[in-house]
Amino acid sequence: MKKYFVIFTIFLLLVVGFISLTSLIKCYYLTFKYQNYDFLKEGKYHFILVLKEDDVFWNKVVDGAKKAAKKYNVTLSILKEDYFDIDNHLDLIDRAIESSPDGIISYALNEKKYENIVNRSIDKKIPFITLDVDVLKSKRDAFIGTNNYYTGIVLAKKLIKSIDNKGDIGIVMNSEENSFMLTGIYGEVSRYDSVSIVDTRYIDTKRVNTYKVIEDMVINNRELKGIICIDPYATFMAGQVIVRQNKVGKIKLVGMGDLEGTLRFIKKGVIEGTVVRDPYKMGYKAVETMYKIKEEEFIDDTIFIELKYINKGSLDEK
Amino acid sequence: MKSSYISIKKKLIISYVIIIIVLTCLSGYILYTNSILTKTYNSFIESMLMLNEIQSYLGDSKKNLDKLLLTRSTNYIDLIYSSIDEARETIKKFQETNITEDNYMITKDLLNLLNSYEKYSEETFRIALSSADERYIENYNNSNKVYGYIFKALEEINYNLSKSGFENYSIMIQHNNRLFNILIFMLGIVLFGSLVFAYIFSINMVKSINKLTEAAKEVSKGNFDVGIIEIESNDELSILAKAFNKMINNISFLLDEIKKKAELEKEAQFLALQSQINPHFLFNTLNVIAKMSLLEGGEKTCDLIESLSDILRYNLRKIDSSVRIYEELKNVEEYVNIQRIRFLDRIEFCKDIDENVLKYYIPALTIQPIVENAFIHGLEGKEDKGIIELSIKDENEYIRIEVRDNGKGFDFDKGIEKPKGHTTGIGLKNVKERLNIFFKGRSQMYMKNRDQGAIIGILIPKVGE
């Protein structure tokens, strides 16, 4: 009796102790996890990274950039808006310039407004790297991104091949400014007489009308044989449109991105294939290059991140 | 389950200490988590307050700048500088709080923005004070722009802070709630356990005490036949019970002893009363008869009468007195003398006596009744020669006295013989009991049959002066 009582009590004490301890550790961790003062140490340089928008792709860019920042002992602040809007984006870059960091890495468009602001930054002795899209006439220090012209060519080639070199095709763009890719697509298409671009549609920056836009294009162009989507989300939506309109196989679809839904559609044969960029590497390279600029090392002023083409075959291999 | 002795006090203290420790752990833990929670909440509120402060300082500086532009008075310059400095200090203080990496980076930019804001403002009022027109407007616009950026950055910090703060807070609240349930459960177990312990503990104690009380009541009524009280605990109560048992045992044993003694005395007194003759008269008469027979030439008769007189004198002593063995032995000799004359050469009496033990004490009339018994049962009704042997031997701590005869042996079915045939009226049973009383139960008496006759023996401890 006595023995059991003692054993029971000891057991109780142990349980209480264990639970208390684990919970304490958990609470402690929750409360003080930010008091890891590593990042409070001053880095060698402080860069500002201005994203295009807050989505999966750009968050991967941030991951890569942070990795590189850690490696090169620089600090990094990130400015972003939920959705892309030229004026807001220009404001962000302006804010970055007024914050007078050691360098600015930003998404840009090949436009006069961007040209001005990049030049202003350079005038203030703040190095500027453009991401994803190059501002050709500006004094930017470097461009890091994919070769959009080449991407357009690849997309067009793949689509034309899948529709047997003839038929009408449509293009779904995400912003009017992404002209290089369009140029690439047009250039490739012009090499085939029997292929013509009959429709080019633009989706909203907030992407609320994506489905409607693509559906309209499919309905209005009865003879449509193929679609090129240059937006990851639009690619997935286009796949859905094709399924709902019962056009699987009749309309070939080539797009971009590796969203989960897109991959599923590729496996099922709804989407022919997609071109995938490597955002992580883009972010990493950007910070690395900026560091090299500050250290006055030699750099290429145009750095392309290689593309990957995904289709049913390559997915099955995995 | 045998365990070592633990006193009631110790039991109580141990159980109290255990309960107190458990409860202290529980409450200490609750307090600690609560304090962590409050701390988190406080730091969150504090950060919010700091952000507000920064905003209000900046607002002040802006207001003062506007007033300066309106009045073109230098009075406001100090105010502008001081509020910007205050804002800067607060931002720096904010950096030292529990801050996330994102927010830290934003504050870093914020400080730079503040610098450029200060620069633009400075330029603005410098131009404004040096000229009457509105050439300051470009700088003023710039300062407004940066002011907007600063507020935007503050908003971002605020957003991040609330997001992470509320997330943390809700996780901790959730966690705390779950824990609270566990703690309540634990508390219940502890409470239940201690109640059960208290119940069992008190029940056991009360039971034991009741047993003792009942027994004590019986004893106070005079009934010593209460049996042995058994208490299965290892504390003071078991000691009490043991002591009580021992006491009852001792008392009943002593009472028995007193009773037996009284009985024996009564018996002796009765016997004495039965022979209503004055012993002195008897002895004197016997002496006269003895001398008379000597004068008449009857020497044997004289011896016989003297032996008888000695025996009588010895027998009439107090029955519970003790004598030395040799005195008893003398009495036995006298008895045997008389019997020898009675039976002539039909009997043979042999002695084998260790001289060393003669000085020890035994109760009077111990050996004589045994020898007499041998005469009565061993020889009566026997035609040929009867042999009676008396041996007294020294056996270390003990003395062994044996009487052997070669008669027909005991008939155990009939039980021990009645004392009627004995001269003194004292039977073997009486001898045994007296021995028991005298030697306090350390003596032994045994009877057994041999091939020829029987042995009656006693084994008694040596008792000196």
Side-chain angles (χ1 to χ4, degrees):
Chain A
M1 180 63 215
K2 191 100 202 143
K3 215 194 229 158
Y4 294 123
F5 183 75
V6 169
I7 288 170
F8 175 72
T9 317
I10 288 171
F11 175 74
L12 204 72
L13 279 176
L14 279 181
V15 169
V16 170
F18 178 73
I19 290 180
S20 311
L21 212 69
T22 49
S23 318
L24 279 191
I25 289 166
K26 205 169 168 186
C27 273
Y28 187 84
Y29 174 73
L30 271 180
T31 324
F32 303 109
K33 66 176 166 184
Y34 298 127
Q35 288 186 345
N36 167 17
Y37 283 106
D38 262 9
F39 61 84
L40 296 188
K41 281 186 291 183
E42 287 302 313
K44 199 165 180 187
Y45 303 114
H46 181 69
F47 302 149
I48 293 182
L49 174 61
V50 186
L51 306 183
K52 182 189 173 193
E53 58 195 345
D54 191 6
D55 70 355
V56 182
F57 180 84
W58 285 98
N59 281 327
K60 278 184 188 161
V61 173
V62 171
D63 289 345
K66 277 189 175 164
K67 176 87 182 174
K70 205 163 189 183
K71 189 187 167 191
Y72 290 106
N73 187 26
V74 296
T75 52
L76 202 63
S77 8
I78 288 129
L79 299 182
K80 63 189 174 189
E81 291 275 342
D82 283 349
Y83 299 105
F84 179 69
D85 176 88
I86 289 188
D87 291 332
N88 283 344
H89 195 251
L90 285 170
D91 269 356
L92 280 184
I93 296 175
D94 189 37
R95 182 176 143 193
I97 293 169
E98 292 297 348
S99 304
S100 47
D102 296 317
I104 298 174
I105 303 163
S106 172
Y107 171 77
L109 287 172
N110 193 13
E111 279 216 354
K112 188 72 189 163
K113 283 178 186 171
Y114 279 92
E115 203 182 305
N116 289 340
I117 206 156
V118 171
N119 288 345
R120 199 152 75 77
S121 168
I122 302 295
D123 291 344
K124 280 199 157 196
K125 303 259 184 300
I126 303 172
F128 201 103
I129 292 179
T130 57
L131 274 187
D132 203 25
V133 181
D134 201 0
V135 188
L136 288 173
K137 288 175 190 161
S138 71
K139 294 189 242 167
R140 94 271 181 294
D141 292 84
F143 160 69
I144 291 160
T146 48
N147 189 338
N148 284 342
Y149 181 75
Y150 176 69
T151 313
I153 290 176
V154 169
L155 286 170
K157 257 189 187 165
K158 294 286 177 189
L159 186 70
I160 290 164
K161 196 181 165 197
S162 70
I163 59 172
D164 295 331
N165 302 342
K166 63 178 179 227
D168 298 343
I169 59 172
I171 299 170
V172 180
M173 300 287 293
N174 54 357
S175 57
E176 294 180 32
E177 294 81 14
N178 210 342
S179 48
F180 277 120
M181 217 180 272
L182 207 57
T183 315
I185 294 168
Y186 272 101
E188 183 65 19
V189 168
S190 64
R191 288 171 54 208
Y192 299 87
D193 293 336
S194 49
V195 180
S196 57
I197 296 168
V198 292
D199 206 345
T200 305
R201 303 258 174 161
Y202 294 93
I203 59 168
D204 187 58
T205 48
K206 291 184 182 174
R207 297 182 175 112
V208 283
N209 62 348
T210 312
Y211 187 86
K212 188 83 183 123
V213 165
I214 300 168
E215 195 181 37
D216 273 359
M217 188 169 81
V218 171
I219 290 169
N220 292 337
N221 301 283
R222 291 276 161 207
E223 296 302 311
L224 206 63
K225 288 285 180 211
I227 298 175
I228 295 172
C229 279
I230 61 164
D231 181 77
Y233 179 71
T235 308
F236 173 54
M237 280 321 233
Q240 284 192 347
V241 171
I242 288 170
V243 171
R244 297 257 177 90
Q245 294 291 327
N246 202 16
K247 296 277 191 186
V248 180
K250 289 173 197 160
I251 295 178
K252 305 286 183 182
L253 176 61
V254 173
M256 290 192 73
D258 54 356
L259 291 175
E260 212 175 298
T262 310
L263 294 179
R264 210 170 57 233
F265 277 140
I266 293 173
K267 269 183 191 165
K268 285 180 179 169
V270 178
I271 298 172
E272 281 301 307
T274 59
V275 171
V276 179
R277 293 176 293 178
D278 190 346
Y280 184 87
K281 202 164 183 185
M282 205 153 90
Y284 189 91
K285 277 276 179 203
V287 173
E288 191 181 55
T289 310
M290 185 58 91
Y291 180 79
K292 282 180 181 167
I293 290 169
K294 294 302 289 186
E295 295 285 302
E296 294 177 345
E297 288 177 29
F298 172 76
I299 50 145
D300 293 325
D301 79 337
T302 305
I303 297 164
F304 288 126
I305 307 295
E306 58 266 40
L307 290 166
K308 209 164 61 181
Y309 183 73
I310 297 177
N311 62 8
K312 199 161 184 287
S314 64
L315 278 184
D316 287 345
E317 269 174 38
K318 275 184 189 172
Chain B
M1 195 170 78
K2 275 244 163 162
S3 52
S4 55
Y5 168 78
I6 302 170
S7 72
I8 291 174
K9 193 170 130 197
K10 226 185 220 169
K11 274 182 187 172
L12 284 178
I13 286 176
I14 288 173
S15 55
Y16 286 154
V17 163
I18 287 171
I19 289 170
I20 286 170
I21 286 175
V22 171
L23 288 182
T24 313
C25 281
L26 287 180
S27 48
Y29 174 66
I30 291 171
L31 281 179
Y32 188 70
T33 45
N34 244 7
S35 84
I36 282 187
L37 211 63
T38 330
K39 226 192 228 166
T40 321
Y41 189 72
N42 280 351
S43 75
F44 174 60
I45 294 291
E46 209 176 304
S47 307
M48 284 295 196
L49 281 178
M50 276 185 193
L51 286 181
N52 261 346
E53 260 174 48
I54 295 167
Q55 281 182 356
S56 71
Y57 284 136
L58 282 173
D60 284 351
S61 75
K62 177 96 171 61
K63 252 183 253 162
N64 286 328
L65 183 63
D66 289 346
K67 279 181 191 162
L68 186 143
L69 292 181
L70 277 179
T71 59
R72 308 269 168 143
S73 135
T74 51
N75 295 346
Y76 295 104
I77 294 178
D78 277 353
L79 289 175
I80 294 170
Y81 276 130
S82 73
S83 49
I84 289 177
D85 279 346
E86 291 279 6
R88 190 179 287 123
E89 287 309 309
T90 319
I91 291 171
K92 277 177 182 162
K93 224 162 75 189
F94 181 73
Q95 278 184 334
E96 281 159 18
T97 59
N98 188 13
I99 194 174
T100 63
E101 187 172 359
D102 286 348
N103 277 350
Y104 182 74
M105 293 308 163
I106 296 175
T107 54
K108 225 170 161 179
D109 292 341
L110 203 57
L111 285 175
N112 287 332
L113 283 174
L114 202 63
N115 284 341
S116 68
Y117 172 70
E118 192 178 13
K119 211 171 67 200
Y120 284 130
S121 302
E122 204 177 80
E123 205 67 14
T124 308
F125 64 69
R126 200 175 56 78
I127 296 173
L129 289 176
S130 62
S131 62
D133 55 17
E134 293 181 343
R135 268 181 291 172
Y136 59 78
I137 199 72
E138 194 195 332
N139 277 311
Y140 181 67
N141 283 343
N142 273 336
S143 104
N144 273 355
K145 187 183 74 183
V146 177
Y147 181 77
Y149 291 157
I150 290 175
F151 267 72
K152 222 167 184 182
L154 284 174
E155 254 170 47
E156 278 171 22
I157 292 176
N158 201 341
Y159 175 73
N160 286 342
L161 200 68
S162 337
K163 211 173 98 185
S164 68
F166 282 121
E167 259 172 23
N168 270 357
Y169 195 67
S170 70
I171 288 172
M172 281 180 76
I173 286 277
Q174 229 175 37
H175 171 76
N176 228 35
N177 280 348
R178 207 173 48 228
L179 213 97
F180 185 71
N181 289 340
I182 295 171
L183 289 180
I184 287 279
F185 177 69
M186 294 293 224
L187 215 64
I189 285 182
V190 170
L191 214 69
F192 179 74
S194 47
L195 279 181
V196 165
F197 172 74
Y199 179 75
I200 290 171
F201 184 70
S202 53
I203 277 281
N204 277 346
M205 213 152 83
V206 166
K207 257 189 198 163
S208 312
I209 288 174
N210 277 351
K211 267 189 198 167
L212 278 176
T213 320
E214 288 298 316
K217 267 186 195 165
E218 285 294 309
V219 168
S220 71
K221 280 179 199 162
N223 177 15
F224 286 91
D225 192 16
V226 288
I228 294 168
I229 296 166
E230 282 192 15
I231 289 174
E232 276 185 24
S233 69
N234 44 10
D235 48 29
E236 285 90 336
L237 286 171
S238 68
I239 294 175
L240 272 183
K242 273 176 204 157
F244 187 81
N245 286 337
K246 187 107 188 250
M247 194 177 77
I248 295 295
N249 251 350
N250 284 349
I251 288 176
S252 58
F253 177 74
L254 288 173
L255 271 182
D256 275 359
E257 213 166 295
I258 289 167
K259 263 185 206 162
K260 272 178 197 163
K261 262 187 181 170
E263 260 172 36
L264 288 173
E265 255 174 68
K266 249 186 222 160
E267 207 177 308
Q269 275 171 7
F270 176 71
L271 288 172
L273 281 173
Q274 218 175 26
S275 53
Q276 286 274 343
I277 311 158
N278 185 347
H280 291 288
F281 170 73
L282 193 64
F283 295 144
N284 292 340
T285 315
L286 280 175
N287 275 340
V288 170
I289 295 171
K291 295 291 169 311
M292 194 80 105
S293 62
L294 194 67
L295 288 175
E296 285 172 4
E299 279 179 27
K300 274 192 178 170
T301 316
C302 175
D303 283 351
L304 193 60
I305 290 169
E306 275 182 347
S307 286
L308 180 65
S309 166
D310 282 347
I311 287 176
L312 279 178
R313 191 175 291 127
Y314 189 80
N315 283 2
L316 281 169
R317 298 165 65 128
K318 259 190 142 182
I319 195 154
D320 55 344
S321 63
S322 59
V323 294
R324 286 175 194 271
I325 289 177
Y326 65 81
E327 288 178 78
E328 176 73 8
L329 215 55
K330 204 180 156 230
N331 188 38
V332 171
E333 299 261 343
E334 304 287 0
Y335 174 78
V336 171
N337 276 343
I338 296 173
Q339 291 296 50
R340 228 180 236 144
I341 291 163
R342 188 178 152 200
F343 292 107
L344 293 175
D345 51 355
R346 259 184 66 208
I347 57 159
E348 198 184 323
F349 183 70
C350 314
K351 288 189 292 185
D352 175 14
I353 287 159
D354 195 335
E355 300 289 330
N356 294 331
V357 300
L358 291 179
K359 61 179 184 290
Y360 294 108
Y361 282 89
I362 53 169
L365 289 173
T366 318
I367 305 174
Q368 193 266 339
I370 299 170
V371 173
E372 189 172 9
N373 190 66
F375 273 97
I376 296 166
H377 297 283
L379 301 178
E380 267 175 13
K382 192 173 163 72
E383 296 302 324
D384 51 344
K385 199 172 188 174
I387 303 166
I388 289 172
E389 295 169 62
L390 170 66
S391 73
I392 300 177
K393 279 178 192 154
D394 185 0
E395 288 192 2
N396 300 327
E397 296 290 303
Y398 290 92
I399 303 164
R400 185 184 293 279
I401 303 171
E402 276 185 351
V403 177
R404 295 186 206 98
D405 62 56
N406 61 344
K408 56 185 186 277
F410 283 110
D411 189 356
F412 285 104
D413 292 339
K414 276 186 186 170
I416 293 172
E417 79 314 329
K418 292 175 185 88
K420 269 184 187 162
H422 289 253
T423 22
T424 50
I426 292 169
L428 290 181
K429 195 183 167 195
N430 183 297
V431 171
K432 189 179 177 185
E433 278 170 7
R434 275 190 299 129
L435 282 174
N436 258 339
I437 292 169
F438 188 81
F439 294 109
K440 298 192 170 59
R442 286 198 294 149
S443 64
Q444 254 184 44
M445 183 165 188
Y446 54 90
M447 299 170 213
K448 55 190 177 193
N449 286 332
R450 337 185 264 170
D451 301 342
Q452 268 264 301
I455 299 178
I456 299 177
I458 54 175
L459 190 66
I460 53 172
K462 287 176 178 172
V463 175
E465 293 305 314

